[in-house]
Amino acid sequence: MFTLIFLFFLLNIPLLVASFIHPRCFWRMKQKKDKDGDLLTGCIFFLRVVKEHVEKDIFNYILNTQTSPENIQFPLALTFSMDEVNRNPDLLPNMSLVFELLEGGSMNMSELNRITHFGEEIQDYYPNYECKGEPGCIVLLTGPDYETSAIFGTYLDPGLSKQVLQLTYGPFHTILSDHEKFSYLYQMAPKDTALSLAMVSLILHFNWNWIGVAISDNDQGTQFLSHLRTEMQKNTVCFSFVCMIPTKFLTYMSRADVYYNQIITSSANVVIIYGDIDSTLAVSFKMWESLGLHRIFLTTSQWDVTTSKRDSTIGSSHGILAFTHHHPEISGFKTFVQTLNPLKYTDEYLARLGWMNFNCEVPASKCKTLKNCSSNASLQFLMGQTIDMAFSDDSYDMYNAVYTVVHAIHEMLLQQVYNGNEHYGNCLKLHSFLRKTHFTNPVGEKVNMIQRENLQAEYDIFQIWNFPNGFEVKVKIGEYSPYFPHGQELHLYEDVIEWATGSRQMPPSVCSADCGPGFRKFMQKGISACCFDCIPCPENEVSNETNVEKCVRCPEDQYGNREQNQCLPKSVVFLTYEDPLGKTLASIALCFSAFTVLVLVVFVKHHDTPLVKANNQNLSYILLISLMFCFLCPLLFIGHPSSATCILQQITFGVVFTVAISTVLAKTVTVLLAFIVIAPGRRMRFFMISRAPNYIIAICTLIQIIVCAVWLLVSPPSIDTDAHSEYGQIIIVCNKGSVTAFYCVLGYHGFLAFTSFIVAFLARNLPDKFNEAKLLTFSMLLFCSVWITFLPVYHSTKGKVMVVVEVFSILSSSAGLLGCIFIPKCYIILFRPERNSLQKLREKTSS
């Protein structure tokens, strides 16, 4: 016979029941230490492979253990696994797995070593055992605490270590993966390296960034905290507090208030719980619950428990989100439990369950006999009141462990039959088969022991779902798989998420409120990255997302709206005829042009009068025509700019004003020459000199044309856009091109005007009734004043206003010339004709 011992250690939560109400046969709770070492408590199952088929009664030899109702799932899961194996005709044909009862409760390590030794002592426990000269093999199934599993590698007799294969059903632990120290140990649970990433993914999905952490202060907790901190730093999620709960009870009690104050004073609504449910961390959790602490707890499958009316402490919390290993549902387990009736079996274990839960009577002389139980007694009610009807992670690992061992034995037996060897192999041979075992379990999952330690766990995410009357059940709200495409590892079922408050909205857990669109985060030194202030984006910068660290500047053709959350297209504007200002300037220009034409008509009509003749009527005609073009020049500045209009604006302005000012200069020179250079009676000489002003106009204009030509060759005016002068507008203007050339044109105008002013000022007092030197002096004074004022104003404006200033200067200076020189003359010609007649002037002089 090949003997396997499944040593099954449960959570060390003893069931304390007063002895005076217990039948004597159920007194199994006494714990003590002796000189041989530490006490071991738990369930010890001796599994035998027998060469006969066992029909139904697989409970003939179940040990009565310290199993509390909360841990009943483990022996039932093991029982279900054995039953399923025995019903499978393709595994271990004509053989069955049965349990052997070991009398007694707790034991210490030395007792375990004596029991697990093969020889004469073992025959006391296995009466039918037959060794046949070869050492047997012990298979230990330990868990769920990794310390329980690790203790065997330390305390077992060295001579026995090679006769023991150990499978663990607890959470994966790196210490147990040390193959040098634990050469024959197999961890059935996958690695939890993706757990921290799964939790952070869920945190990011709900837009949480301010998280509290309560972790057991041991190797496993420290390693998890390290992984969690790395993932949180990558995604800007911060710790509000970190409670490292000591594992020693006395140390914990001395600081329990400190841990409670940390969590109660924190603004974090989400707390990650990581540790064993039989630790001081569980004590803290129960205390927080009892004190009415409402938080959202993120935890693992060990804390994934449902409660009933008997135990509703978890239901008082704000909610629990539990990450459990993803595995197929074992539907047959529910039916198995529902049809399992303790009255049908003689098992001491089930007798104990019946006595506790169905008010059965147990005769003192017959501990395995139940009578007067409740009608329709079954374990279905018990399961509904203590554990979930579905397999837990640890139970599923136990399920796979049983099948792994069975498949390894099955393959080993097949090889022995093929080789003609009828005896059973030793532990080393079973180890060689076990480590290479791969199969598909009855629920369709592939189990490969070669790759087991390289697998990363996939997770189902469950939420405690609240119902009236205090009932709570688990509801799957999503799943996480590190094998899904990047960015799609987390998948939640939004339609089934509901919190204890009855709302599907996620309670926030942030240090600072989100900075909405139009604002950006302002970080302060020495404060966590999740805590910040919100300040508005600068002008013409926007942010259309929450919690941005830097606002984005709008393109040149767009501007930020008032809320600064989006960029809007800028409106294109220029000085148009439809614009009130443009319409006004155009009207003024046309009116002055028409008035100039009217003055010219008056002068032409009265060309033979002394006033017109005395002031060189040809120069007057040239000046009036040039002034008319000066008034029309602003029309080039109004309307949509183009390359042609931009060039014509400056060239026309420069040349036309040069003709006007040089004509004024010619007039002043004419007056001066008439009274100083030319003596009276020398008509021929006067005729020759009278043509000199024509050359002044030509020469001065030619110089200005040359300057403009150079301007066009070097850097001509062009179309430009001004996107900064007016908010939300793009102003189309004409760029001067070469600013130096523009000021050269203005400077030349100023030179001519100043020269004209000086000459006219010198000739203002010359004796003549028709001397216009004073009028020319005032006109040049006004002209210079306008353009001197123009320079600072022009530099202080931008965009469309700059164009208006230039147009206004052109109109005002032109109007000054027209008004100062010709309005007085027109007044005399039209309203005082007696002052425009030589005969009447002589008569007046004679009288």
Side-chain angles (χ1 to χ4, degrees), residues 484-523:
F484 287 169
H486 180 68
Q488 302 178 22
E489 294 91 345
L490 179 68
H491 178 66
L492 296 181
Y493 313 139
E494 300 288 351
D495 56 336
V496 298
I497 297 177
E498 184 174 1
W499 295 91
T501 58
S503 172
R504 295 193 179 187
Q505 295 181 353
M506 301 299 107
S509 184
V510 295
C511 179
S512 300
D514 290 338
C515 294
F519 293 84
R520 69 177 181 89
K521 296 194 296 186
F522 177 73
M523 313 300 297

Side-chain angles (χ1 to χ4, degrees), residues 291-339:
L291 294 175
L293 182 64
H294 293 281
R295 294 293 187 271
I296 301 171
F297 292 101
L298 269 64
T299 184
T300 59
S301 59
Q302 291 176 288
W303 300 76
D304 178 20
V305 293
T306 57
T307 60
S308 65
K309 294 180 181 179
R310 296 184 184 181
D311 182 14
S312 59
T313 55
I314 296 180
S316 64
S317 69
H318 216 49
I320 291 182
L321 296 176
F323 288 77
T324 67
H325 292 163
H326 174 75
H327 55 74
E329 180 181 359
I330 303 180
S331 57
F333 181 66
K334 181 177 181 180
T335 304
F336 174 80
V337 174
Q338 290 175 343
T339 58

Side-chain angles (χ1 to χ4, degrees), residues 240 379 515:
S240 172
L379 290 184
C515 294

Side-chain angles (χ1 to χ4, degrees), residues 99-174:
F99 290 105
E100 181 83 10
L101 173 63
L102 174 65
E103 295 294 338
S106 304
M107 68 188 71
N108 55 40
M109 265 297 174
S110 60
E111 292 173 343
L112 179 64
N113 273 316
R114 287 196 303 270
I115 293 173
T116 52
H117 272 86
F118 287 88
E120 294 181 357
E121 294 186 19
I122 199 65
Q123 295 182 13
D124 296 335
Y125 297 97
Y126 301 101
N128 297 325
Y129 177 74
E130 190 174 356
C131 192
K132 293 189 177 179
E134 288 196 16
C137 183
I138 303 173
V139 178
L140 302 178
L141 179 59
T142 60
D145 185 3
Y146 84 94
E147 293 178 351
T148 302
S149 301
I151 199 172
F152 286 95
T154 306
Y155 287 96
L156 281 179
D157 193 328
L160 185 63
S161 60
K162 293 183 180 181
Q163 302 177 34
V164 176
L165 293 181
Q166 188 175 354
L167 288 86
T168 67
Y169 62 90
F172 186 92
H173 200 287
T174 53

